Amino acid sequence: MVIVGSVYRQTARTRILDAAEELFSGGGYDATPTARIAELAGVPKGLLFHYFPRKIDVLISLVDERTLVTEYDAEEVVEREAAAAPGDAAGALSRLARRLPLHASPAMRRILFREADTHLSVRERLGRLNAEIIKRARFALELAMPGGRGDAARLEAAAATFAAVLLYQESICQLTGHHIDPDAVAELIAHALG
Amino acid sequence: MVIVGSVYRQTARTRILDAAEELFSGGGYDATPTARIAELAGVPKGLLFHYFPRKIDVLISLVDERTLVTEYDAEEVVEREAAAAPGDAAGALSRLARRLPLHASPAMRRILFREADTHLSVRERLGRLNAEIIKRARFALELAMPGGRGDAARLEAAAATFAAVLLYQESICQLTGHHIDPDAVAELIAHALG
Amino acid sequence: MVIVGSVYRQTARTRILDAAEELFSGGGYDATPTARIAELAGVPKGLLFHYFPRKIDVLISLVDERTLVTEYDAEEVVEREAAAAPGDAAGALSRLARRLPLHASPAMRRILFREADTHLSVRERLGRLNAEIIKRARFALELAMPGGRGDAARLEAAAATFAAVLLYQESICQLTGHHIDPDAVAELIAHALG
Amino acid sequence: MVIVGSVYRQTARTRILDAAEELFSGGGYDATPTARIAELAGVPKGLLFHYFPRKIDVLISLVDERTLVTEYDAEEVVEREAAAAPGDAAGALSRLARRLPLHASPAMRRILFREADTHLSVRERLGRLNAEIIKRARFALELAMPGGRGDAARLEAAAATFAAVLLYQESICQLTGHHIDPDAVAELIAHALG
DNA sequence: TATGAATGAGTCTTCATTCAT
DNA sequence: CATGAATGAAGACTCATTCAT
C-alpha cells in the first residue's frame, strides 16, 4: 500500500526534480525561474526552497542523482562479449555505445553539457563520465585485439576520440544539425587499429 | 574633426565589442550585465544601447564580425598541398587543423559553443562552420587518397569525426580536463582509410 | 510516566526559551528565525508553535519570566544597611547597584534594551524596571542623608541619573566602547548631595 | 537658476534619504521595506538601488552625512564662555548640552541608538560622538573650576555621566517614559565638583 | 553623439505559520 | 504531544531598456 501510494503519487521532491529536468533541458538553467519549476511540479514556490535551499541545489541534486555511472560490473560484461566475438573491435565499441554509462535521459545529457562550464559540480561529473568512457573504450579495444597491434598512442587516440563522439553526439546534432553515427565511427576506429 | 570623430566612434564601438568578448567568454552571455560591458569598455551605459539597440545585438555582432570563415581559396591551397605530399592523409588533416577556419580567438570559440543552443543566430553560425570543416576534411582526404580506397560511408564518418574533434577539442579539454590531440586523431583516421 | 512526561514537556519549553535568549541577545529578535530557535533547542519547528502560538510570544514569555524584579523586601534591606552605615550615601548606591533588580542575565538585558522600542510589552517592562530603580535610589539616598540636605529636585536628578547609569552601563560600554563605573558615579552623586 | 532649481526640486537621492530618515526613526531599519522608502520618496524602487546598491547603504549614508560632529571651533567657544562666567560649571555643561554636537535631528539620534548594536558603521559613529562629548565636557569643567578642586577621577566620572545623560536622554524618555533634565544633571554635577 | 538618471518587471530567497498524521 | 512537509506573502536586489538633456 505504502509502496503503491508512493508510486501513484510522486513525492513533491521528485516532482520538483522532474520539472527542473524538463525545464533546464529546454531553456537552460539560468533562463528557468524557480517559480516555473514549482508551477510545473504543482507545488508552491516555498516548498522548492524547503527541499533545495538554493536554486543551484536543484541542479546539483539533479546531476548527483540522475547521471549515475552504471554500477554493473562493466569489465566482466565486456570480457564476456569479447570472448563471444573475438576480434570484433567495432562491435565492442558499438555495444559500449549502447550501454553508455549515463543513466541519464537525453534531457540530463543536454543539461550536463550546457551547464558544465558555468557550474563546477556539473563539470566534475562530466569529467568523471568522460574518464570512465575512455577507460572502458580502451579496455574493450585491448580485449578485441589482443595481439597488441597498433601502438599505444594510437589506441589512446582511438579511445579518446570515441569517448568524445559518444559524449558530444547529441550536442553536435543539436548545435550543428549534423548527425554523427557512433557505429560508423566504431567501424572507422576498428579499421584503423585492425 | 570629422576624421577624429569617426575614429572616436569606431573606438567606442570596438571597445564595447572587446569588452563583451572578454566578459561573454568568461562568465557567459546571460551572466554578463550590459552595465559591466559598458564599464569595462569605458563608455556610458547609454552609449552601448546607441550602438546595439538590444543586448542580444552585441552577441550577434560579435559572432557576425569575429567568427569569419576564412576567405582565401581553401580548395586551391589544399590541392597544392596534396600535390606536394601525395598520399599523406594524416598530414592533410593536420594542416587543415592548423588552418581552422575560425578567425576567432579562443574566447570567441568559447562563446560560440556556450551560446549556440540558446541563441539561434549563434547556432546557425556554428552549423555553417561545422559544415565547412567537414567539406574541407572530405576534400582533403579525397585528394590524399585518390584511389578511392575505403568506401564513401567510412570517409564520411572520418570527415565528421575529425570536424567534431576540431570543433570540440577546446571544449572537451575545458569541460573534462582531458586533452585530445588533433594530430593523433589525424593519424588514426589516415590509418583507417589508408 | 506522568512525571516523566511533564519533565519532558517542561524541558522542551525551557530549551526553546534558552535558545531564544541566546539567539535574541546575539542577533536580535527580528534577525532570529523561529527555525533557528527550534534547531538550537533541538525541537521540531512545529513544537515551538505548540508552546508559543506566535513568534512574539517567545519574546514576551522571555521578558515575563526572566526579567523579574526581585521579590525580597527591598526597603527593609536598605533600611538595615542604612542603619549599619549611616551617612554613607555612596555606599548605599553602590550596594543598590550590586543588587540590580534584574534577575536577568546580561543576555536578557541586551534583549530588553534592543527590543524595547519595537515591542510594547518589552518597553513596559523596561519602564517598570527604571521606575523601580529610581524609587530605590531615592529611598536609599533619603535614608543615608536624613537631614534633608540638598533640595528635592537635586535628589530627584541624582536618583534618575543613577538609574540611567545603572540601566545603560552595559549598553554604553558595548555601543561606545567607553566603560563607566557605577561606583565612581555613586561617589560623585554622594558628593553632590553631601 | 540652477541653485534655485535644486532647492525647489530636491534631488531624488535627497528625497530617498529624507524618506529613510523618517521611516527608520519610526519603525526601525529592519521593519522598513525599501519599497516603502521609495514610495514615500516618490521615486521608483529601482532608483533607490541606483543610488544605494544595498539597503544598508541607505543607513550608512544617512549616518555618514547627517550626524556630523559640529565643525566650529568648540574649544574657543567654550573658553570665551568660561571667561564670561567664571566658576559656572553648571552653566558650562548646560550650554554644552544645547550645542550637542549632533547636527542630527531627533530622528537621526533615534536611528543611531537603535541600529548601533546591529551595524558596525553606526556603532563606530556613536562611539566617536560619545568620545567627543566626554572630551568637551571635561574641557568645560576644567575651565569652569580652574583650581583643580575635586580629584581627576571624579571629574572623569562627571564627564562620562554627563555624556551618557546627553546621549541617552531621549532614549531614556522614549523607552522608560521617564524624562530626565540635562540642566538638573548639570547642576548636580557642578555641585559635586564645586 | 554622449550621458547617466529613471523605470518597473522579474528573480531568488526568507520565514512565520498551518496542518495532516 | 510530536513531527516536518506545506503554504504563500513579502522582501531585497538585478537589469535591460528608455529618455531628457
Side-chain angles (χ1 to χ4, degrees), chain C residues 62-73:
Chain C
L62 224 38
V63 170
D64 277 353
E65 299 171 21
R66 301 193 174 187
T67 57
L68 299 175
V69 172
T70 49
E71 285 143 17
Y72 67 89
D73 185 339

Side-chain angles (χ1 to χ4, degrees), chain D residues 18-172:
Chain D
D18 289 344
E21 182 173 337
E22 182 176 335
L23 293 171
F24 288 171
S25 105
Y29 172 84
D30 285 325
T32 303
T34 53
R36 197 144 48 165
I37 300 173
E39 185 191 33
L40 182 59
V43 303
K45 223 175 0 172
L47 192 56
L48 188 149
F49 288 92
H50 176 70
Y51 289 111
F52 308 98
R54 297 162 309 159
K55 184 188 180 187
I56 190 65
D57 291 325
V58 179
L59 178 58
I60 290 174
S61 296
L62 224 38
V63 169
D64 276 354
E65 298 172 21
R66 301 194 174 187
T67 57
L68 299 175
V69 172
T70 48
E71 284 146 18
Y72 67 90
D73 187 339
E75 301 212 344
E76 191 199 14
V77 171
V78 173
E79 278 176 1
R80 214 180 309 129
E81 289 173 348
D88 181 15
L93 289 182
S94 287
R95 286 189 295 271
L96 175 60
R98 250 163 245 117
R99 280 197 318 267
L100 219 207
L102 277 172
H103 172 66
S105 63
M108 274 312 303
R109 293 194 217 174
R110 283 232 289 275
I111 293 171
L112 268 184
F113 296 117
R114 181 180 286 172
E115 313 302 342
D117 63 351
T118 320
H119 304 294
L120 182 60
S121 59
V122 180
R123 184 156 64 247
E124 288 174 345
R125 170 69 53 149
L126 187 58
R128 258 180 293 152
L129 277 178
N130 187 54
E132 180 72 18
I133 298 178
I134 290 178
K135 196 183 91 185
R136 293 186 188 181
R138 193 191 303 123
F139 185 66
L141 289 172
E142 281 170 347
L143 277 188
M145 36 197 57
R149 281 167 295 174
D151 55 29
R154 191 178 294 158
L155 190 141
E156 207 50 44
T161 300
F162 194 67
V165 167
L166 276 197
L167 276 177
Y168 281 89
Q169 61 171 306
E170 286 182 342
S171 177
I172 290 170

Side-chain angles (χ1 to χ4, degrees), chain C residues 114 117 123 154 187 191-192, chain D residues 114 117 154 187 191-192:
Chain C
R114 182 181 286 173
D117 63 352
R123 185 156 62 249
R154 190 177 298 158
E187 199 277 336
H191 209 255
Chain D
R114 181 180 286 172
D117 63 351
R154 191 178 294 158
E187 200 276 336
H191 210 256

Side-chain angles (χ1 to χ4, degrees), chain C residues 114 116-117 123 126-127 130 134 154 157-158 160-161 164 168 171-172 174-176 178 180 184-185 187-188 191-192, chain D residues 114 116-117 123 126-127 130 134 154 157-158 160-161 164 168 171-172 174-176 178 180 184-185 187-188 191-192:
Chain C
R114 182 181 286 173
D117 63 352
R123 185 156 62 249
L126 188 58
N130 188 53
I134 291 180
R154 190 177 298 158
T161 299
Y168 281 89
S171 176
I172 290 171
Q174 187 192 1
L175 298 185
T176 69
H178 190 93
I180 194 165
V185 178
E187 199 277 336
L188 178 80
H191 209 255
Chain D
R114 181 180 286 172
D117 63 351
R123 184 156 64 247
L126 187 58
N130 187 54
I134 290 178
R154 191 178 294 158
T161 300
Y168 281 89
S171 177
I172 290 170
Q174 186 193 1
L175 296 185
T176 69
H178 189 92
I180 194 165
V185 177
E187 200 276 336
L188 179 79
H191 210 256

Side-chain angles (χ1 to χ4, degrees), chain A:
Chain A
M1 279 294 278
V2 171
I3 294 175
V4 169
S6 72
V7 165
Y8 270 72
R9 174 172 285 276
Q10 301 268 37
T11 68
R13 188 174 186 281
T14 301
R15 289 210 310 279
I16 291 170
L17 288 179
D18 289 344
E21 181 173 337
E22 182 177 337
L23 293 170
F24 288 171
S25 104
Y29 172 83
D30 285 327
T32 303
T34 54
R36 198 146 46 168
I37 300 173
E39 186 189 33
L40 182 59
V43 302
K45 223 177 355 174
L47 192 56
L48 189 150
F49 287 92
H50 176 70
Y51 289 109
F52 309 98
R54 300 161 306 161
K55 184 189 181 185
I56 189 67
D57 291 324
V58 178
L59 179 58
I60 290 174
S61 295
L62 225 38
V63 169
D64 277 353
E65 299 172 19
R66 301 194 173 185
T67 57
L68 299 175
V69 172
T70 49
E71 285 145 16
Y72 68 89
D73 186 339
E75 302 210 344
E76 191 199 13
V77 170
V78 173
E79 278 175 2
R80 214 179 312 129
E81 291 174 347
D88 181 15
L93 290 183
S94 287
R95 285 189 295 271
L96 175 61
R98 249 161 246 120
R99 276 198 321 266
L100 219 206
L102 275 172
H103 172 67
S105 62
M108 274 312 305
R109 293 193 218 175
R110 284 234 288 276
I111 294 172
L112 268 183
F113 297 118
R114 182 181 286 171
E115 313 301 342
D117 64 351
T118 320
H119 304 293
L120 181 61
S121 58
V122 180
R123 183 156 63 248
E124 287 174 346
R125 170 70 53 150
L126 188 57
R128 258 179 294 152
L129 278 178
N130 188 55
E132 180 72 19
I133 299 178
I134 290 179
K135 196 182 93 185
R136 293 186 188 182
R138 191 192 304 123
F139 185 67
L141 289 172
E142 281 170 346
L143 277 188
M145 35 196 58
R149 284 165 293 175
D151 54 30
R154 190 178 296 158
L155 189 142
E156 207 52 44
T161 300
F162 194 66
V165 167
L166 276 197
L167 277 177
Y168 282 90
Q169 61 171 305
E170 286 183 342
S171 176
I172 289 170
C173 182
Q174 186 193 1
L175 297 185
T176 69
H178 189 93
H179 180 69
I180 194 166
D181 178 17
D183 287 342
V185 177
E187 198 277 337
L188 178 79
I189 287 174
H191 209 256
L193 299 179

Side-chain angles (χ1 to χ4, degrees), chain B residues 74-91:
Chain B
E75 301 210 347
E76 189 199 15
V77 170
V78 173
E79 277 174 3
R80 212 179 313 129
E81 289 174 348
D88 181 15

